[in-house]
Amino acid sequence: MSNAETPVARDLFIGGSYRSAASGKRFETRDPATGELLAEVAEAGFEDLDAAVKAARTAVEGGPWAQMTPRQRGKVLFRAADLLMSRVDEFARIETRDNGKPIFESAKIDMPACAEALAYFGGYADKVYGRTLPSGTGSFLFTLREPVGVVGAITPWNFPLLQAMWKIAPALACGNAVILKPASLTPLTALLFAELLSQAGLPPGAFNVVPGPGEVIGQAMAEHPGIDKITFTGETETGKKILRAAAGTVKRVSMELGGKSPNIVFADADLEAAARGAFNGIFYGKGEVCAAGSRLLVEKSVHEALMEKLVERAKKAVPADPLDPKTRLGSLVSEKQRDTVSKYVERGVTEGARLVAGGHKRDVGGKGAFFEATVFDGVSPDMEIAREEIFGPVLATLEFGSVDEAISLGNRVRYGLAAAVWTRDIKKALRVAREIQAGTVWVNTYNFYDPGLPFGGYKQSGFGRERGEEAMHEYTQVKSVWTDLG
Ligand code: NAD
């Protein structure tokens, strides 16, 4: 989509080239900020999926990808990182138009983080070590870490290319082939990235993209006997369906699911920093962030002071044109998502929470799926807005009186993706970090990520880890070799 203003046809990417779907079917993707048609995208069916599986299997079973050395594979990823950064403006603009997120986020955060992931895992490609085991002189025992084979990646729409990259980069670094099914609302950057990977030297079949409806093509991937592993990011309920579908072939699975993360502010915190952190924790990425700090837990004695600072910020955060570099709150991903968010807000009001900022749909120039930065106060733990993932710019604020109460409130939901604690007391910070049931805990900050730091869920936020060395374990399997020297 070199000219993002003109609707284009986008095809599936299978075996190193673009092609239309065998059925000829296409679906539309639109800019949620304007309603404009961006592209008509080929919709993969079973025949196309079979073709992608065949191409991927060939790539890992004796094809040119399988024959490359680990270091050569790493170099492909390094080149891809450089190529992506050389086209950062083009990719960022497409991402913003497809998703509605501010161009500031796409260009300054998402795309650089994609390139970082490629470079980080490129560096790992020749460092996937096995182990030698102590044994007697009559034998030699060692392990090999081998690729799992063909990886099916199913991704959501909130960070379209970045969520995919945290799967693609480690999977390719370990020598697997990847079949990616991006979310139907945001398939464009993944499709464009396929060509970029080829330019970086990735052989045909090692990366394939098959957009299509999750219940059809996603489900078929989970069931397909030619796919060895499913790596999924999305809703917890979708994750359960995939687990059931994958059971038939005893497929490996990893699950990055939803969250309802507590952002815990103690009275001894730097309140200015905590207010900023509470704001960014929920409104960055329009709140369509799995790790969003959507539950603000505040110690009673500073509740009023903190809320004053936070509400003032929230009221100033007016949704605006996502393509304006100054915009920090863009359009939600779709009208449907905005309706969902709106219903949760109505529910919060009905249940008796106090709406202290935002709460309404907005438009920019008469268009778009915008929603105000919304803050609820006086929320009690049993209200829906305190328990369910809203996936929008809506914060639920609760009060606590002691460290024990903060921890117990923090752990009260079925999710366990992330949490944060704000305090100047290191002992308190570390106690909370240990006792909160979450895969990531931030201390005096929020929403920071590093390709080397593992990320994933406790409880119903999933299992398996993305990033860091742990990610390499998700895409390899261990072979033990016993050699008799007697
Ligand atoms: P979703 O579960 O609706 O869709 C995710 C992907 O799964 C899409 O590609 C979709 O087409 C596909 N899918 C849908 N039904 C399927 C089925 N039956 N079988 C196979 N695939 C299917 O999620 P979403 O609305 O795109 O994204 C929002 C959700 O993702 C939120 O719950 C959010 O918390 C979660 N999320 C989690 C993380 C994380 O790292 N833990 C990151 C981002 C988003």
Side-chain angles (χ1 to χ4, degrees):
M1 203 169 73
S2 52
N3 179 357
E5 317 316 318
T6 314
V8 289
R10 276 280 159 227
D11 285 337
L12 317 174
F13 192 85
I14 295 174
S17 58
Y18 289 110
R19 60 167 85 166
S20 45
S23 67
K25 274 199 201 168
R26 291 190 176 272
F27 66 93
E28 291 182 347
T29 177
R30 290 180 177 272
D31 180 340
T34 61
E36 248 174 279
L37 178 66
L38 295 175
E40 305 217 321
V41 181
E43 182 177 311
F46 301 130
E47 206 177 311
D48 305 303
L49 178 60
D50 283 341
V53 170
K54 195 163 170 233
R57 290 235 74 90
T58 306
V60 289
E61 289 170 3
W65 183 232
Q67 285 167 30
M68 281 170 96
T69 64
R71 196 156 300 155
Q72 286 169 329
R73 289 202 299 262
K75 282 188 182 153
V76 171
L77 299 190
F78 293 146
R79 281 195 294 270
D82 291 344
L83 277 173
L84 182 59
M85 285 316 288
S86 72
R87 292 169 64 183
V88 65
D89 291 339
E90 178 194 358
F91 271 82
R93 186 177 167 87
I94 293 169
E95 198 76 308
T96 281
R97 296 214 68 201
D98 217 8
N99 168 282
K101 63 171 63 200
I103 191 78
F104 164 76
E105 292 183 12
S106 304
K108 305 289 181 202
I109 300 170
D110 290 27
M111 295 308 136
C114 285
E116 239 185 11
L118 286 162
Y120 177 86
F121 287 109
Y124 244 116
D126 59 358
K127 297 170 194 73
V128 184
Y129 301 113
R131 293 195 290 183
T132 53
L133 277 80
S135 56
T137 50
S139 57
F140 176 47
L141 315 183
F142 64 98
T143 63
L144 295 169
R145 272 203 175 270
E146 298 185 330
V148 297
V150 174
V151 171
I154 303 177
T155 50
W157 43 255
N158 60 342
F159 292 79
L161 192 59
L162 188 53
Q163 291 290 356
M165 203 62 73
W166 282 326
K167 303 179 184 309
I168 300 166
L172 291 180
C174 293
N176 300 282
V178 176
I179 300 172
L180 170 69
K181 195 211 83 63
S184 300
L185 286 171
T186 56
L188 297 180
T189 44
L191 285 165
L192 195 63
F193 183 70
E195 192 181 42
L196 184 149
L197 270 178
S198 298
Q199 287 160 1
L202 191 80
F207 183 62
N208 310 274
V209 190
V210 289
E215 318 77 61
V216 181
I217 209 72
Q219 165 98 12
M221 284 169 72
E223 289 171 352
H224 205 294
I227 295 180
D228 302 293
K229 168 172 179 139
I230 292 288
T231 168
F232 171 71
T233 299
E235 269 185 40
T236 296
E237 293 314 309
T238 314
K240 291 178 189 174
K241 287 185 196 158
I242 291 176
L243 282 171
R244 284 191 282 268
T249 49
V250 196
K251 229 181 235 45
R252 287 162 182 73
V253 282
S254 47
M255 297 267 138
E256 294 283 339
L257 307 175
K260 188 76 185 175
S261 302
N263 200 352
I264 305 172
V265 182
F266 285 99
D268 61 358
D270 172 346
L271 283 196
E272 204 54 55
R276 209 166 44 238
F279 179 90
N280 290 332
I282 183 64
F283 299 124
Y284 166 71
K286 313 163 259 164
E288 292 168 339
V289 177
C290 52
S294 52
R295 285 186 300 146
L296 179 64
L297 313 186
V298 191
E299 190 161 2
K300 278 193 182 88
S301 58
V302 291
H303 171 253
E304 215 168 292
L306 184 81
M307 291 314 281
E308 202 175 299
K309 292 179 196 298
L310 176 63
V311 168
E312 189 191 326
R313 275 177 187 273
K315 284 187 173 160
K316 282 192 198 146
V318 179
D321 177 6
L323 286 171
D324 182 337
K326 290 203 258 348
T327 296
R328 293 295 180 270
L329 189 59
S331 165
L332 301 199
V333 74
S334 67
E335 197 61 54
K336 187 166 165 252
Q337 183 64 14
R338 182 166 76 158
D339 285 342
T340 305
V341 170
S342 199
K343 284 201 183 96
Y344 273 115
V345 171
E346 282 166 26
R347 187 89 184 111
V349 172
T350 315
E351 286 193 309
R354 270 195 326 280
L355 190 58
V356 290
H360 307 102
K361 293 182 178 180
R362 287 289 277 254
D363 61 67
V364 173
K367 298 177 193 158
F370 298 89
F371 202 87
E372 291 172 343
T374 299
V375 181
F376 277 107
D377 200 357
V379 176
S380 62
D382 292 326
M383 290 180 185
E384 236 171 55
I385 55 167
R387 288 184 288 115
E388 292 186 16
E389 181 181 45
I390 299 174
F391 225 56
V394 180
L395 180 67
T397 311
L398 296 87
E399 267 188 6
F400 64 84
S402 66
V403 182
D404 285 343
E405 194 187 355
I407 292 168
S408 130
L409 274 177
N411 288 337
R412 199 168 157 140
V413 294
R414 67 177 169 137
Y415 298 109
L417 193 57
V421 50
W422 298 80
T423 174
R424 287 189 171 96
D425 177 346
I426 185 72
K427 285 189 187 164
K428 204 189 288 176
L430 294 183
R431 178 177 165 207
V432 174
R434 274 179 189 275
E435 294 185 27
I436 280 288
Q437 296 154 358
T440 292
V441 180
W442 288 289
V443 178
N444 293 331
T445 189
Y446 208 97
N447 257 340
F448 277 91
Y449 305 90
D450 188 283
L453 196 64
F455 183 85
Y458 275 33
K459 303 199 284 189
Q460 291 194 31
S461 289
F463 53 87
R465 289 291 177 272
E466 300 207 302
R467 296 166 240 167
E469 190 181 355
E470 279 77 357
M472 310 302 287
H473 294 176
E474 300 290 337
Y475 298 104
T476 51
Q477 51 194 338
V478 175
K479 180 178 281 171
S480 299
V481 184
W482 182 303
T483 318
D484 183 18
L485 301 176

